[in-house]
Amino acid sequence: MAHIDYYTFPLSPFAYLAGDRLEKLAAAHGATITYKPFALMTIFEETGTPPPPKRHPSLMVYRTQELKRISKKMGMKLNLQPAHWPTNPAPACNAIIAAQNAGGGNVGGLVQSLLKACWAEEQDISQADVVKACLTANGFDAALADADAEACAAEFAANTEQASQSGVFGTPTYIVGEEVFFGQDRIDYLDDYLKG
């Protein structure tokens, strides 16, 4: 059985636009997924990638064009300038980590709900009420939003270190063994790889 490590960040529009395609692919192949929220800005610093506000204007124009194209193709609502972006990602990351460790709900759905809250619903995912609503909507106890922040932070740091060691340079990134698939537009390549 294949296993996929999914390096995600709850403020990434490209992770949002991946939708539930990874989960559908995993189900089709009988693969398992570990969701790994990580410090994207730390990885950007390590790899020499400027964060969006510091990128060359031509790159930002292209980014906007790509986001429009992808959202249209996927039929997904997207606000290119969300009211609460950037914001503190820690509460959302902690909730994903705590929910995955607790089990009993839909982790993929939780990740997608948090991304959608930011990029399509004008909600602030740094706020406890937003995180709790996403947890309960996906079958988890809302109290997981108040999970041990120190333990979650340690796992978040470990995810970031693993991302660095595994060649991750952005999100969404999917890793199977030594194979790295970067970007929501590489899910088809991941599908091909799992088919053998």
Side-chain angles (χ1 to χ4, degrees), residues 57-113:
S58 62
L59 293 174
M60 293 307 293
V61 168
Y62 183 74
R63 178 181 184 271
T64 299
Q65 290 177 348
E66 276 283 84
L67 289 172
K68 286 179 180 178
R69 285 191 284 256
I70 298 166
S71 63
K72 182 177 180 180
K73 183 175 179 65
M74 296 296 117
M76 297 174 69
K77 178 182 175 184
L78 175 72
N79 183 349
L80 293 168
Q81 295 182 318
H84 305 286
W85 182 91
T87 191
N88 178 11
C93 292
N94 290 351
I96 295 167
I97 290 167
Q100 182 164 242
N101 290 339
N106 180 356
V107 183
L110 172 61
V111 172
Q112 293 151 32
S113 292

Side-chain angles (χ1 to χ4, degrees), residues 74-165:
M74 296 296 117
M76 297 174 69
K77 178 182 175 184
L78 175 72
N79 183 349
L80 293 168
Q81 295 182 318
H84 305 286
W85 182 91
T87 191
N88 178 11
C93 292
N94 290 351
I96 295 167
I97 290 167
Q100 182 164 242
N101 290 339
N106 180 356
V107 183
L110 172 61
V111 172
Q112 293 151 32
S113 292
L114 290 163
L115 287 159
K116 184 177 182 182
C118 175
W119 290 98
E121 299 174 341
E122 297 289 35
Q123 297 185 62
D124 185 349
I125 62 170
S126 73
Q127 299 302 304
D129 60 329
V130 174
V131 174
K132 288 179 178 181
C134 290
L135 282 162
T136 56
N138 289 283
F140 294 105
D141 186 339
L144 289 172
D146 303 315
D148 184 342
E150 187 173 334
C152 290
E155 188 164 337
F156 182 77
N159 288 347
T160 304
E161 179 61 26
Q162 290 166 11
S164 179
Q165 293 177 357

